[in-house]
C-alpha cells in the first residue's frame, strides 16, 4: 500500500526557519516524482514544485521559486519542504503528492501538515 | 500569468447529472495538458479522481468521468450521490514546472 506520511503541525514566529517532511512507503521511492501543494486557509490549491528523488531533479512554480526549497533523501525515503525565513503569509496547509509514472498525473496525497506563522 | 478557471459553485439534485469544466487562459485545453481532477471534502486532503483527461484510479467511482468538451476539460458526475458534495479541483500541465490548479468548484447536492 502506497503511503505518504507527513510530519506534524508546526507553530512558528515570523523570521524563523522550518523544514517539514513527507515519508513515502509501499513503493520504489526513487522512481516517482513528488510535488508539494499549498492550501491557504479557506482557499484553493496551489502547486508549488516537484522533485524526482532518484536524482533530485527539482522544479519550482514561478510563484514559489526562491521562496522555498524542496529536497529529497533517498536513504530515508523522505522529501522535505523548507523555509529560511517564514512570513505570516506562509500560514497554510501543505500537502505532498506522489505522481504516477511519467510525472504528469497526481495519484496519492499525504495527510497534510499545518504550518502556522504568528508573532 | 496562467489562470485556470472553474465554475465557483454548482448545485445538483440527488440522482442527477452535472458537468464541471476547467478552462485555460492560454486557449483550448487538450489532452496534452493532462487534465487531472480532485475531490476535497472539508477537513480532508484532496483525493485524485481522474488523470490524463479520462483515466480513472482504482478507487474512482464509476459515476465519475472525464473528457474534453469543446475547449475545456470536463468532469461529469452521473447519478449524483449525497456523498459527492465536495469541492472539486482541476489541474493542468503546461510543461516543465508549470502546473496550475483551477480555483475549485463547490458542488452542492440538494
Amino acid at each position: 500500500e502506497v503511503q505518504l506520511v507527513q510530519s506534524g503541525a508546526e507553530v512558528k514566529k515570523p523570521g524563523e526557519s522550518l523544514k517539514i517532511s513527507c515519508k513515502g512507503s509501499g513503493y520504489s521511492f526513487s522512481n516517482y516524482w513528488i510535488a508539494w501543494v499549498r492550501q491557504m486557509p479557506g482557499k484553493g490549491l496551489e502547486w508549488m514544485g516537484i522533485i524526482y528523488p532518484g536524482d533530485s531533479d527539482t522544479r519550482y512554480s514561478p510563484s514559489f521559486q526562491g521562496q522555498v526549497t524542496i529536497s529529497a533523501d533517498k536513504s530515508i525515503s523522505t522529501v522535505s519542504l523548507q523555509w529560511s525565513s517564514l512570513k505570516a503569509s506562509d500560514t497554510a496547509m501543505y500537502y505532498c503528492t506522489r505522481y504516477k509514472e511519467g510525472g504528469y498525473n497526481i495519484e496519492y496525497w499525504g495527510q497534510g501538515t499545518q504550518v502556522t506563522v504568528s508573532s | 500569468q496562467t489562470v485556470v478557471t472553474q465554475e465557483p459553485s454548482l448545485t445538483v439534485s440527488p440522482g442527477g447529472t452535472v458537468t464541471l469544466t476547467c478552462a485555460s487562459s492560454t486557449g483550448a485545453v487538450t489532452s496534452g495538458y493532462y487534465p487531472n481532477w480532485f475531490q476535497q471534502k472539508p477537513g480532508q486532503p484532496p483525493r485524485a479522481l481522474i488523470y490524463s483527461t479520462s483515466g480513472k484510479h482504482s478507487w474512482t467511482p464509476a459515476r465519475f468521468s472525464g473528457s474534453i468538451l469543446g475547449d475545456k476539460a470536463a468532469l461529469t458526475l452521473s447519478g449524483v450521490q449525497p456523498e459527492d458534495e465536495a469541492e472539486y479541483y482541476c489541474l493542468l500541465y503546461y510543461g516543465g514546472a508549470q502546473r496550475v490548479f483551477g480555483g475549485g468548484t463547490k458542488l452542492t447536492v440538494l
Side-chain angles (χ1 to χ4, degrees), chain B residues 9-94:
Chain B
S9 64
L10 291 170
T11 300
V12 61
S13 300
T17 296
V18 64
T19 297
L20 289 65
T21 66
C22 176
S24 172
S25 62
T26 61
V29 176
T30 66
S31 59
Y33 287 78
Y34 296 90
N36 279 212
W37 289 92
F38 306 95
Q39 178 193 64
Q40 187 179 33
K41 296 182 179 180
Q44 296 182 18
R47 177 176 73 141
L49 290 175
I50 299 290
Y51 66 93
S52 292
T53 304
S54 57
K56 294 184 183 183
H57 298 281
S58 58
W59 52 80
T60 304
R63 61 184 180 274
F64 291 85
S65 62
S67 63
I68 299 291
L69 283 183
D71 58 358
K72 300 177 185 179
L75 175 71
T76 299
L77 288 69
S78 305
V80 171
Q81 301 298 306
E83 61 265 30
D84 297 332
E85 184 163 293
E87 192 87 21
Y88 291 84
Y89 294 94
C90 64
L91 175 65
L92 299 180
Y93 170 75
Y94 291 87

Side-chain angles (χ1 to χ4, degrees), chain A residues 33 36-37 39 43-50 59-63 95 97 99-100 103-112, chain B residues 1 33-36 38 40 43-48 50-53 57-59 89 91 93 96-103:
Chain A
W33 292 86
W36 286 96
V37 174
Q39 188 167 37
K43 301 298 184 182
L45 305 175
E46 298 173 270
W47 194 89
M48 300 176 70
I50 195 168
R59 304 168 192 187
Y60 296 93
S61 164
S63 299
Y95 296 102
T97 69
Y99 274 65
K100 290 175 69 69
Y104 296 106
N105 300 291
I106 291 175
E107 187 170 23
Y108 295 100
W109 291 72
Q111 85 275 19
Chain B
Q1 183 172 343
Y33 287 78
Y34 296 90
N36 279 212
F38 306 95
Q40 187 179 33
Q44 296 182 18
R47 177 176 73 141
I50 299 290
Y51 66 93
S52 292
T53 304
H57 298 281
S58 58
W59 52 80
Y89 294 94
L91 175 65
Y93 170 75
Q98 186 76 340
R99 301 151 201 249
V100 182
F101 281 100

Side-chain angles (χ1 to χ4, degrees), chain A residues 19 23 34 37 59-60 67 73 87 89 104-105 109 111-112 116:
Chain A
K19 190 173 190 177
K23 183 174 176 63
I34 288 183
V37 174
R59 304 168 192 187
Y60 296 93
Q67 308 304 307
D73 185 338
K87 302 185 282 288
S89 59
Y104 296 106
N105 300 291
W109 291 72
Q111 85 275 19
T116 302

